[in-house]
Amino acid sequence: MKKWSSYFGKLIWVMGLFLLTIISFNIKYKIHAISTSTYSIVPVIWTNFIILFIWGVYLSLIFIKKWTIKINLPLLICVFLPCFLFSLFVPLAMIFSISLPLGDIWFNKVVRSNLIEMVAGLTFMLSIFNNLKSESE
C-alpha cells in the first residue's frame, strides 16, 4: 500500500505542476496587460520575482522526503541568502531608481536566466527541511 501512495503522491505533484503553470501564466499575462496600460514595469518585475520564487519552492517539494524542520545552515547562508539577495536587486533597483549595470554581459545573462529566483526558492525549502543524515547518525 505504501508503494502505491508514493506513485499517487508523484502524480498529484505533476497535476500541481500543470496547475501552477497555468496559474502563473495567467497572472503574468494579466499583470503585463495592466502594466502596459499604466506604463509601469515595476509590477511585472515583482510578479516575475514572486512567481519564480514560488516555482523554486514547488520544485523542492519533490525532493523533501521528511517534513521535519532541521536547518542546513551552510545551504541557507552560502546558497539561499546570496541568491535571494541577488534576485531582489532588480525589483528594488526599479523601485529606488538605481541604474542597473545591464551593460555587463554576465549580469545581464544572470538576470535574464530567471534561474536565481528559482534556486533561491528551492534552496530555501531544502535548507529548512534538511534530509541529509550527518556522519554521526
Side-chain angles (χ1 to χ4, degrees), residues 31 38 45 67 78-79 128:
I31 294 293
T38 61
I45 299 293
W67 288 95
C78 297
V79 181
I128 292 176

Side-chain angles (χ1 to χ4, degrees), residues 12-74:
I12 294 292
W13 186 87
V14 170
M15 288 189 297
L17 180 70
F18 292 139
L19 185 63
L20 184 61
T21 303
I22 292 166
I23 291 170
S24 63
F25 178 78
N26 288 339
I27 290 172
K28 279 186 176 184
Y29 178 76
K30 288 181 183 187
I31 294 293
H32 183 69
I34 291 169
S35 66
T36 304
S37 65
T38 61
Y39 302 107
S40 175
I41 191 141
V42 174
V44 174
I45 299 293
W46 278 106
T47 302
N48 192 41
F49 166 74
I50 292 168
I51 287 174
L52 291 171
F53 188 82
I54 290 172
W55 267 102
V57 169
Y58 190 77
L59 291 174
S60 72
L61 297 179
I62 198 100
F63 299 114
I64 297 173
K65 305 215 183 314
K66 199 172 188 183
W67 288 95
T68 55
I69 295 177
K70 185 176 178 187
I71 296 176
N72 182 344
L73 205 55

